[in-house]
Each structure stands twice: as structure tokens, then as C-alpha cells.
Amino acid sequence: MMKFRFRRQGADPQREKLKQELFAFHKTVEHGFPNQPSALAFDPELRIMAIGTRSGAVKIYGAPGVEFTGLHRDAATVTQMHFLPGQGRLLTLLDDSSLHLWEVVHHNGCAHLEEALHHQPPSRPSFDGASGLPSLARITVVLLVAAGDLAALGTEGGSVFFLDVPTLTLLEGQTLGPDEVLRSVPDDYRCGKALGPVESLQGHLRDPTKILIGYSRGLLVIWNRAARCADRVFLGNQQLESVCWERSGRTLVSSHSDGSYAVWATDAGDSPTTQPTVATTPYGPFPCKAISKILWRNCASGEHFVVFSGGMPRASYGDRHCVSVLQAETLVTLDFTSRVIDFFTVHSTRPEDEFDEPQALAVLLEEELVVLDLQTPGWPAVPAPYLAPLHSSAITCSAHVANVPAKLWARIVSAGEQQNPQPASGASSWPITGGRNLAQEPSQRGLLLTGHEDGTVRFWDASGVALRPLYKLSTAGLFQTDCEHADSLAQAAEDDWPPFRKVGCFDPYSDDPRLGVQKVALCKYTAQMVVAGTAGQVLVLELSDEPSDQAVGVASVDLLQDREGFTWKGHERLSPRTGPLPWPAGFQPRALVQCLPPAAVTAVTLHAEWGLVAFGTSHGFGLFDYLRRSPVLARCTLHPNDSLAMEGPLSRVKSLKKSLRQSFRRIRKSRVSGKKRLTAAGSKLQEANTQLAEQAGPHDVEVTPVQRRIEPRSADDSLSGVVRCLYFADTFLRDAAHHGPTMWAGTNSGSVFAYALEVPAAAANSDRRPERAVEAVLGKEVQLMHRAPVVAVAVLDGRGRPLPEPYEASRDLAQAPDMQGGHAVLIASEEQFKVFTLPKVSAKTKFKLTAHEGCRVRKVALATFASVACEDYAETCLACLTNLGDVHVFSVPSLRPQVHYACIRKEDISGIASCVFTRHGQGFYLISPSEFERFSLSARNITEPLCSLDVSWPCDAMRASYRPRESPKLSQANGTPGVVLGPQSRGGSPDPTCSEGADTPDPPEATLSPMSVDSATSADTTLDTTGDVTVEDVKDFLGSSEESEKNLRNLSEDEAQACPILIG
């Protein structure tokens, strides 16, 4: 007979109010470099930069902390972007030839970047004449003239149309067709092939009535819009790629498809001009690739800058991505590791100035942004305060460290500055400085650590909106690899022509995949760190302010414990270097532990107060005393049938197939057995249902959802011995009267091992361990019923609070734990959370997440949530991310559901695997290989852009162009960045229209929501190595649609209607 459990009617209104003060979901900011950039723009008046992407995202950057984000409704590629100077408005062109006008709009005291207008060009007959192909209507180039009020549109058919920018409407009667231009050229040139598409449009800095038009055939025309005639004609015969008009208007520079560029004089000789004054192929005489873009910038010294992309010798260097900078006799070929998208120079644009005097060169590449200082000799690269390529080497793991002490922070910053010394000249500064960051200084410093495939660990300042690089730790120098051979080849090629100069830090190629970092742990009080890698290497490091030469002790730990029948078939271990090695200032290795077999490390933890480090692989776990340089414990967790763990990552495809085959067999078996049981009990179940339907029960009492039946996992499942988590705690394990150091280990088969440790007391304040060694004795062993993998273990003190970190209690940096009352241990598996009392290890409270919600646990963390109403009130809760991408928050230790939010798309396996929570209710996950999405679960602790931008609009432009549209609006809780705006009219007075409140229509916030950008930027992205992508993740993704729909139907729709607590 079925049993139903009823819970108390209604919800506690006080608790619901407290939830609103503690919890709120926000997607706040995207850290890193935009994925798949496609367009670039720069406003020299406001000093802000815009980047467009292939997914239709628009991102505007200014000074650190000044960021705007928008998203086109159609996920089309942004091909061109143009700022209306000084107005805070942006015109974008998509690959479908649609034009979109973006504005920074003031609303209720804050501002948003939103799409005000859009324009889709008319069809072929009315747009580009009655003849020709439909592709003739495609817009190829856009030019803003007359202070941005007018735009010239060049098309693939050779016509030039004119657009009124404030209203985005075509101006009739002003279209310039190719036939009208051909009247100004000689007959012999006219009789040749067609002019082709309009490749370039350039405006005169001092005369807005003149436009320079460049056609694909090579023809250049200076067109006078006022007189509707050609002032000058330049008869080029080489296919045109780009044109630049020098600021005085006396010189033109054209680049061509054969790798050459030509200089034309506009005031010499009669029109038409047939020969340029200078024509050269910089990297000739052999065939070269096209020069896709060229810039000419003059200087008072007479040594002008010529900057161009491409033009490399086709046979020998045709695969290089280069931008060349030429000044007088100095030529530098900037060699990048990814494709060049666009570039611009930061120079004077005031009409009264006679010279450009370029200050900096910004190059947007497919994987990074590089800025060079052109005023400092040698043209050094300027460190970027944001937009750093997180994926310079593929990210393999990440960790967050909160509340970093000021002393450690200063030491890390100092080590980073020694890695990248800046030139003595003060001119090397970031040129994109628009806007003002109004956000308060962060109350605490946060570090984001990312481990990479090339064996490096990068330290990032994650305290604010701008993710700033601080320091890079490299572990490759400890091992023998092929790096030296590659470096020698690179040095040998430096003297060759062209004069290449490697620029940028994006380097996706790893010298040895075994160097990849799998786990990192940092003690912020002792500046000690553990880095664990793919080949079983566990490296203990310590921060040093001075360089040193020292040898690193190596110890091996055999996790198989001489177990018979197991042979490692994977990769070999890395060979460490011998003898003293030079180490720069920063984190320097103190000990190297090599796990045998050399499988990837799956878990690691550090306890600096005890001088211990614990590590685990797919074969078992070990404990190492790094003060005495001696192993303490090694435990094998392999099942006798778990031969899959011995194959290593080289047999990954075979392993995946075998695992999926076993999964389908279990599913088929469970379905067959379920059908048999259903047939046998079918009649009884129908009778029970009929009786329940006929009974008249209270309609206002909610019924607990029927729990799903969880299929127990087989003991001989593959990879059952994988160690998933490790944990140190000072708690009661042997008896209730004595507490002491313990170590906990959780495995993939649902086993939890608890060891009692004997740590000599003299080690507390000494760097050397006494003669007596650390001892470990198995105290408890817990086997979960369904053998679900153990994700995390945490011990709670007598007040139900998590134990403090090492040194926090002894140094009075945190409240001392309650050692009088009974402790408890929280064990989080993939299916449920369970609290056991200590030392008896009897079940106290549990919550079956899989049975209630139909999902599995992927990431968990204990976080502190502070109230927005009372500064002194805070709660410690359990944050959980599921395989469906939802985030759940539970109270501790009662495990009552508080809130849950949809955070990550369930199809985004890599995003879910890369998620990391912070101690204060925030989190990070990868939405692309190069971007972290930051979110907050706390109503008080939110990191989001808050900035101001001084713009000057024409008096009627703002409201004339703003058209409210009907669109599905997203809540502000989805993470719309708030930007405070101080708009001004042309006269400098505040714009009165911006003070409208109730009369101002609500803007379509969906255009700016980073949640929308998330879905666009990560929809078609596949990450190779990010986080811990397990076989279970792939099983979830490949699950049947029937099961997915069933899971979605069972998701709770109301946060207040939480599932009941089952206590057993």
C-alpha cells in the first residue's frame, strides 16, 4: 500500500522574508576574453572600445571596471562597428547586412546599453537596381560622416547609399551608383572589367563633404557630395584591399591583394592620376599574401608610421598571422599565434592638430587583445588590466581563495611584477581609459587560481569586475621536456628575414600533456601551495621573495600496494631534473611526490598547520609528510574487477565505449525488472489508486511527491576506485572525549574512509618535524547504500558550523569551533546529502536530492550568506550544482531546501564541470574556452559593474532614435550590469529628458542580459579539457529524452514550495 507524508500547511512568512534578505540569484559579469571576436571599434573622444562577436554579442570596455554588454536578437556575426564620437552610441553591421544602433540609455538612476533601432536593407529590386544578383544588396563597408549623423553604405554591387543615423532611414535621391562614377574615368579604363564591390570608404577629417571611395578593381575616387562630382580619380589596376586617407588630405595609401601598397598624392598633377608616387612590396619580390588593412599616421618628426596586416611571403610564411609596423628605416613584424581580426591606433583626432602622433597600437586577435606603446623605444607591449586570455593554455581546473591576507597579496603582486618588469618610462599605460568606475573598493581580496594544460597555474585578481592577472607559476621547469629544443629553434630563426617579433601570450600547444594541472590548493596563511598533475605528480611549493638555487627532493608512493593482477597501461611518469635548479622569486618547489601508477590526480588537500598533504588518484589515496619528506599512508581503493582504471587516458575512447555499454545494460536490466514488478502488482496498484481517488481528503494540504526509485550501483562498476574528495579535520573519531587530527577520503563507489592521525605537537610552530613520525590509523569506514560517488565531506562543530581552515582558529582569525558539543560529519554524494553524528557515525539527517528532484550532484560547497537587512546576521548553507545546471541551497545542518535557481544550461557539460563556488555565495563557470561567467547566490555579496560615462548627445538625437519595443524582459536578478550615466547636451548642461520616471517606457532589458549573452556565446562551444568531465557527465548528456522530460516535469516551480525533509 502506498504511503503519503503530509507536511504542515503553508510557509513561515518570517522565514520567507529572511530568505529574500539572504538569497538572490544574479549573473553579474563575464570575465576574460570574448569568444570568437569578429569586429572592433574605438571612440577616441570617450576612450572606450567595443568588441563584437560571431554570436552577436556587443561588449564595450573603458577603464578597469567600466563594462557594457549587449546582444543582438539574431545570433548573427557582427562584421563592423562604428562609434558616434562622444555620444556613447554605436552602429553595428551584421553579416545579414542589417544595421543596429545601440545607445547608453538612462533609466531610473542607472543606464543600460540597449538596441534603440535596427534597419534591414530592402530587397534587391528597390535597393540595388533591377538587374544583377541578389548578393549585390550586401553591405560591404560603412562610413560615418558629419559627426555621425550620416552614414555612407558601400555595397557589393558598387553603389554607395546614404543613411540618416538618428532614424536609420535611407535618404532618397542621394544614392551614388557605379555608372555615375564611371563617367569621370577615361574610356579605356571604363571599357575594362567592372569596378566590383566597394572595398573602402574614408572621410576627410576637415571636410565632411568629401568621401574617398575605393573599389575592388583598384579605382580610387574622391567624391564631393555637395557638388555630386568626382574631385579626383586614381586609376589603380591591382585588386584593392584597403585605403587610408592621411589627415591633411594630401596623401592616400592603398593596399592590394598582391602584398603591395601604394602612396598617391592628391594635389600633384591632373586628374585622373594613373601612377602612384610610391609603390612597394615590403616582403617581396616573391609572391605575397594580401595586405588586408593599412594605416598611415604622421608625426611632427617626419618619421611617419605605416601599420598594415598581412603581406607575408606566400610560400614561406603564408600561415603566419602578422601586423607590420614601419617607421622610417625601422620595420618590426609582429608575429601572433592567432588570426588578426582588426586593429586601430590611439592618436589625436582633433581637426586643429596638424599631426596624428600615435600613442598606442591595439590589435584584436581571435584569441587575445595586444596593445603596444608606440611612444616608448622598442614599442613594448602594455599589460592589459582586463581582457587577458584565460585560455592562453587550455584551462584544466580552477579554485577560488577568499579573504586573502594583505601581506600575501602584496607578495604575490611583487612576484608577478618581477616576472614582467615594466620599462622605466611612464608612457607605457593602458590607453582605453573611458568612463569612471563608481564601485566601492572590495572589502576583501579574492584570488582565482586556474590550472592549465601546459603545467602553469595563473593567479587572477577576482576582487572586482575586471579580472586582472597577477602572477604565473610554471611547473614545467622541474621536469625534462622538449621545451629547450623548441626555444633554441625559435632563437635561431630570429635573425632571418622578415624581422619577426613574437607578441602575445596565447599559446595553445603544450610540450607534454602530462604536465597538465589537475588540482590546486593554497594555504593563504603560510603561503604554501600544492599543485597536482596529469602524470601523478604532486608538487608542494612555498612562496619566496628572493630567487634561489636548490634541489627538490622526490618521493614515490605506490598506491597499488603490490596488489597482483593490475598492470598500468597508461603514460609514463615525468622525469624530474636532478641537482640544484634556479627558481625565480615566487612559489618555489619544496618537495615532489610521485604517485605510482602515474595516473592523473583526482583530489588533493593541504593542511599547513600539520605539515601534511593528501592526494588521490583512480587507484587510491596517500598521505605525505612534507616536513619530514616521508610518506605516511597509502591505501588502494581498486575493486578486483576494476581493470579500466589501469588503462589511462590514452585508452579513453575504449573506456568510454565500455562504460556506456555497461550503462545501457543496467538501464535495460532495470527496465525489464521494473516491468515485471509492475505487471505483478498492477491490479493491486489500480485498486489502491481507485480507493484514494474516492476518498474525500483536505484539498489545501500538499502531498509530498512520490520519490523516484534509485537503482543501486554495482560494486564492480568501472572506475569505482576513483578518489573524489579528501578532507582534514580536528574532530572526535575514536571516542566522544578526545578529539584530534583526522583525514577523510571519499571514493566513486560510495565509500568513506576516516583515519585518525597522530601528529607530533612540536610541529605546530616549527618548519622541521621531530623524530617521531606522523601515524595514521583507520578509524571508521562508511559505505553508502546505493554506492553513489562521494562528492564532498565536511565536519560540523557542536553549533552545526563548518570547522575553520588551518591557522584560522590558532591565530584568532576566525571563531574557534565548539569542541564541547557533539560533532557531525556531512557527506555529500551524487544522490543525497547525509549528516552523521560523531564519533558513532549514526545517521542524523538526510535529503535525497535524486529521489526528489531527479538530478545528480556535481559540485557542492559550504558558503556564508550575509543578510542585506542586518549586517551582523549570516547563515552557513550548502550550495549545490546539479547535472541539470540548477543551483540548490540547503540549510546546515538541518538540510532543509532554501532556494534553487536555473544557472547553467544542462547541455553545457563543460560549464557544469568547470563551476567553482566561493566562500561568500558567489561562483564562476566557463561559458566558453576564454570566458568565466560570474554569478551570485547572495543578496548582499554581489560583484557587478557600476560606472559612469560622460556622453554628449545632440539635443534631439536621444529621444528621436529611441523606440521602445515589445520583448520578453528578463529580471534584473539575471545579472544586468548597472551603469550610472551623466548625459549632457551639446551645450554641456544635463539632459532633462533623462530625469523622466513614470513616463519613460521600460527598456528591453533582454538585449543586455549577460544571461542572454551566455546562451549565445556558449551554445555551440565545445571545450576539450575543462574541469572534471567524467563518464557520468556524458551519461547525463546522452540520456533518453523521455527521462529528461520526466526530470523537467518534476522540477519544483515555486521556491517557497520546498520538498519535505526525510529523516532516517
Side-chain angles (χ1 to χ4, degrees), residues 786-805:
H786 291 155
R787 298 184 177 274
V790 179
V791 180
V793 176
V795 173
L796 309 176
D797 67 2
R799 293 185 293 263
R801 298 176 181 177
L803 298 183
E805 294 184 12

Side-chain angles (χ1 to χ4, degrees), residues 509-538:
Y509 307 107
S510 174
D511 297 296
D512 194 327
R514 297 175 296 174
L515 291 171
V517 177
Q518 295 297 322
K519 297 293 177 182
V520 293
L522 173 67
C523 176
K524 59 189 177 184
Y525 301 113
T526 60
Q528 293 176 343
M529 185 177 183
V530 175
V531 178
T534 304
Q537 69 272 25
V538 180

